[in-house]
Amino acid sequence: MDVSEVETFYSRLQQISLKMHNEYDDYNLLAIACLLNIVHYVDEKFDFSILELRDLEKTEELHMIDKYFQDLNVHERLYLTIHLLGSKAGSVIRLDDSQRDIQLFELALHLVDLFERQTSCDISEKNELVNSLYMHFKLSMYYYQLSIQISNTLLEDVKENYGNLYQMIKNLCESVDDEFPFILTDSEISYITMHFGGHLKQVQGKFYALIRVLIVCPSGISTSTLLKREVEDLYANVTVIAATAAENIAQYKENIDFIVSTIDLDTDIPWIKVNAILTKDDKSKIASMMSLNMQTYKLNKDNFSGLFSIIQKYVDPTQMKNLKKDVYDYFREGNLIVDVVEEKQLRLKDIMYRDHLIRIDKDIMWDEAIRLASVPLLKTYIITENYINEMIGLVRDYGPYIVIKNRIAIAHAKTEAGANALGTALLINKKNIQFEDDLNIHYLFVISSSNPKEHLQILKDISMLASDDIDLNALLDKNVDEIMEFIKKMVNRT
């Protein structure tokens, strides 16, 4: 936040307040000045659908803002007018609203805890994620109170590139929608998805020498955090030094190998331009840049720091600078030397086998049901006995959180508890799987995954079974082959 700009905005707002016979509280004016500073530096779209523009034109507030804020564009003046009107009506949230702050913080913490339990995914820097969600919810609350609708320009990109995670977050948020003190829109869900996506841990593997990357992304905290995680997930030996604005590049010059940016740059440091959410071509661009830096080559018993260190043995030293510039320009024009092939995600129909499906017709307790459903995975060494104990222990600790809806429950635990491979099994009970609460459960899935992320698509497929438009009663009397065909057709429809 630019303190000097906030002070300038605050001073102008005080002048307007004097002209308007002090109709506005100074505390509210300071809050408005802070918010205006934030809006000044983020690329968001605001929909003034509730307060009609023609009504704004009639207000004295807009006339005063036109006089004192001539350096703002029309859009920003309208935004500021709405805030002033809201302040006049007493609808602006006070910064010292401790009860509301506690509610928003608890909501952020609850969402993160639920996500960890229901997906068994590890969160990187959990406290940081909770805090970033909390701050995002505070801004969303401001906008909601002032009847301003925000649309995320990256909504469709999030749905396309993070479809599984988006659906999980959507299901999670809708399950606790009564805890949200503002309207839960698709744009809001996409922002929450971006925050979570930026904090999912990646399984580490074999790597070569460390590659240091700088992210230049002025789009906002959630976008830069997500982009940082995307870049680091491409290679285990990539470390993002920082995510910063273009004017701060010089201070990182001696500590980075190249820059990944969402905007055009004017710098001598090697850089490539990508989308805020990486496409396949963007990933190939980064892979191509990696090939110039990775210490994977050995020649005459010497180690070489990337491709250029080999080429320079055969190129006139006076031409190396021009050669490097031409190669980097070649990448920036969209040309590649490495093509990233994205792995096809397995679906529920791909890992659900006939002998992994068990049908019974008797009342049974939930813990016995988990053990029974796990037998096919235990016999094939997909899971260990400890994994089963861990699933049961989690339910005992946290209650029947594994129950979703439409009489379905999903049991799973973290990878390190004893998950050797990706697999799933299904127990179908014509009678009831009994929990402490009065729940009517007939379907229990057990999921195992050796990778914390790979099972998100499977969870998404199962959540489709739990949708309101699917009648699962019909499955209770079907045989194994008919059930397998039903699952296959359901998955193929999406």
Side-chain angles (χ1 to χ4, degrees):
M1 182 174 290
D2 188 332
V3 176
S4 62
E5 186 174 71
V6 170
E7 291 176 348
T8 300
F9 289 155
Y10 178 54
S11 176
R12 295 183 196 176
L13 289 169
Q14 284 181 313
Q15 295 180 54
I16 292 176
S17 182
L18 287 173
K19 294 288 184 180
M20 299 287 288
H21 308 292
N22 292 316
E23 291 185 331
Y24 312 101
D25 182 81
D26 277 349
Y27 206 86
N28 284 346
L29 294 182
L30 179 59
I32 294 171
C34 292
L35 284 174
L36 185 59
N37 174 256
I38 293 172
V39 171
H40 217 41
Y41 291 101
V42 297
D43 182 22
E44 310 285 9
K45 290 184 178 179
F46 301 92
D47 183 1
F48 304 105
S49 59
I50 298 179
L51 292 174
E52 299 292 337
L53 296 181
R54 56 183 173 79
D55 293 329
L56 289 176
E57 291 176 355
K58 300 175 184 177
T59 64
E60 183 65 22
E61 279 80 1
L62 181 57
H63 295 308
M64 298 297 290
I65 289 168
D66 284 341
K67 177 180 178 180
Y68 286 94
F69 288 88
Q70 295 182 13
D71 53 324
L72 300 184
N73 61 42
V74 174
H75 182 273
E76 290 170 330
R77 294 183 200 181
L78 291 170
Y79 173 81
L80 181 53
T81 301
I82 291 176
H83 274 280
L84 272 180
L85 288 170
S87 178
K88 187 175 182 178
S91 63
V92 168
I93 298 178
R94 293 180 177 272
L95 295 177
D96 61 350
D97 187 351
S98 57
Q99 185 175 357
R100 179 67 75 190
D101 275 4
I102 292 172
Q103 179 186 1
L104 294 176
F105 183 83
E106 288 180 343
L107 172 60
L109 182 59
H110 190 198
L111 279 179
V112 174
D113 284 342
L114 282 177
F115 181 85
E116 282 193 312
R117 290 179 208 153
Q118 293 192 11
T119 66
S120 293
C121 288
D122 287 325
I123 296 294
S124 173
E125 299 169 332
K126 179 177 177 178
N127 290 337
E128 182 181 322
L129 172 58
V130 172
N131 287 328
S132 65
L133 283 173
Y134 162 67
M135 294 305 299
H136 171 75
F137 291 156
K138 280 179 70 74
L139 284 176
S140 296
M141 194 68 208
Y142 279 122
Y143 301 141
Y144 174 70
Q145 290 283 357
L146 295 170
S147 299
I148 300 173
Q149 297 178 1
I150 301 179
S151 63
N152 187 352
T153 57
L154 297 174
L155 173 59
E156 295 306 318
D157 288 329
V158 170
K159 286 183 177 180
E160 179 178 352
N161 293 281
Y162 283 83
N164 299 335
L165 182 59
Y166 174 85
Q167 190 59 51
M168 289 301 305
I169 297 298
K170 184 179 178 67
N171 293 342
L172 197 65
C173 289
E174 289 177 348
S175 71
V176 293
D177 61 351
D178 58 328
E179 297 182 25
F180 280 84
F182 48 84
I183 296 174
L184 194 60
T185 64
D186 284 350
S187 285
E188 178 67 25
I189 292 171
S190 67
Y191 276 121
I192 298 172
T193 301
M194 292 169 68
H195 280 287
F196 271 95
H199 288 81
L200 286 180
K201 285 184 180 178
Q202 173 73 353
V203 175
Q204 298 298 309
K206 182 180 179 180
F207 58 88
Y208 298 100
L210 183 68
I211 301 297
R212 304 159 301 172
V213 176
L214 180 69
I215 300 290
V216 175
C217 179
S219 299
I221 295 175
S222 61
T223 306
S224 59
T225 302
L226 181 60
L227 183 56
K228 175 180 182 292
R229 182 62 59 190
E230 285 187 302
V231 171
E232 289 183 329
D233 280 358
L234 287 176
Y235 290 91
N237 60 320
V238 169
T239 293
V240 174
I241 300 300
T244 187
E247 57 265 26
N248 300 325
I249 290 176
Q251 70 186 74
Y252 298 99
K253 185 174 183 178
E254 303 303 321
N255 300 311
I256 58 175
D257 294 298
F258 63 89
I259 299 171
V260 174
S261 174
T262 59
I263 59 175
D264 289 320
L265 301 177
D266 182 14
T267 176
D268 294 333
I269 303 173
W271 64 277
I272 49 174
K273 184 178 179 181
V274 299
N275 295 286
I277 293 181
L278 297 182
T279 65
K280 178 180 177 296
D281 286 344
D282 291 333
K283 294 174 183 177
S284 296
K285 286 182 184 178
I286 296 173
S288 296
M289 288 292 282
M290 289 287 294
S291 70
L292 302 181
N293 291 275
M294 285 196 298
Q295 293 180 338
T296 58
Y297 304 97
K298 203 162 189 176
L299 190 64
N300 297 330
K301 298 183 179 181
D302 293 326
N303 289 315
F304 290 90
S305 180
L307 187 60
F308 282 135
S309 64
I310 296 177
I311 294 176
Q312 68 185 4
K313 292 173 63 72
Y314 308 101
V315 174
D316 184 341
T318 62
Q319 295 298 316
M320 270 307 291
K321 183 177 180 180
N322 291 333
L323 174 62
K324 288 183 177 181
K325 180 180 181 303
D326 288 345
V327 171
Y328 291 132
D329 287 344
Y330 177 83
F331 288 160
R332 282 196 286 271
E333 289 170 1
N335 300 298
L336 309 168
I337 61 174
V338 176
D339 184 26
V340 173
V341 178
E342 297 184 329
E343 295 182 4
K344 178 181 178 293
Q345 286 190 306
L346 294 174
R347 305 293 299 273
L348 179 60
K349 66 181 179 64
D350 299 320
I351 64 171
M352 176 60 74
Y353 305 109
R354 293 183 78 262
D355 53 356
H356 285 191
L357 199 155
I358 301 172
R359 299 177 76 254
I360 61 174
D361 186 9
K362 64 177 182 177
D363 288 327
I364 186 174
M365 290 300 297
W366 63 268
D367 52 349
E368 185 183 351
I370 290 177
R371 291 195 181 278
L372 182 58
S374 301
V375 169
L377 302 182
L378 188 63
K379 285 183 176 180
T380 53
Y381 305 102
I382 291 176
I383 62 174
T384 65
E385 186 71 37
N386 185 67
Y387 190 83
I388 300 173
N389 294 332
E390 183 70 15
M391 288 189 289
I392 293 173
L394 288 171
V395 178
R396 284 180 177 153
D397 289 342
Y398 299 108
Y401 74 92
I402 64 173
V403 175
I404 45 179
K405 58 182 181 179
N406 205 4
R407 292 180 276 182
I408 291 179
I410 309 173
H412 55 131
K414 291 187 176 182
T415 301
E416 56 268 26
N420 298 322
L422 179 65
T424 188
L426 170 61
L427 173 68
I428 300 179
N429 188 3
K430 287 191 68 173
K431 291 189 177 175
N432 198 28
I433 299 174
Q434 299 172 0
F435 287 82
E436 291 180 3
D437 297 331
D438 187 19
L439 299 171
N440 192 22
I441 306 302
H442 295 291
Y443 303 88
L444 173 66
F445 283 91
V446 171
I447 297 179
S448 161
S449 174
S450 59
N451 183 315
K453 288 186 178 181
E454 66 182 357
H455 68 297
L456 287 181
Q457 177 63 60
I458 308 302
L459 289 173
K460 180 182 176 183
D461 287 342
I462 295 174
S463 70
M464 289 166 50
L465 276 173
S467 63
D468 295 331
D469 58 346
I470 292 182
D471 180 15
L472 289 181
N473 286 327
L475 284 185
L476 292 176
D477 293 316
K478 292 186 179 298
N479 60 40
V480 172
D481 289 331
E482 290 172 325
I483 295 170
M484 294 293 294
E485 185 63 23
F486 178 88
I487 292 174
K488 181 179 179 181
K489 288 181 178 179
M490 181 203 69
V491 171
N492 287 340
R493 286 200 301 267
T494 61

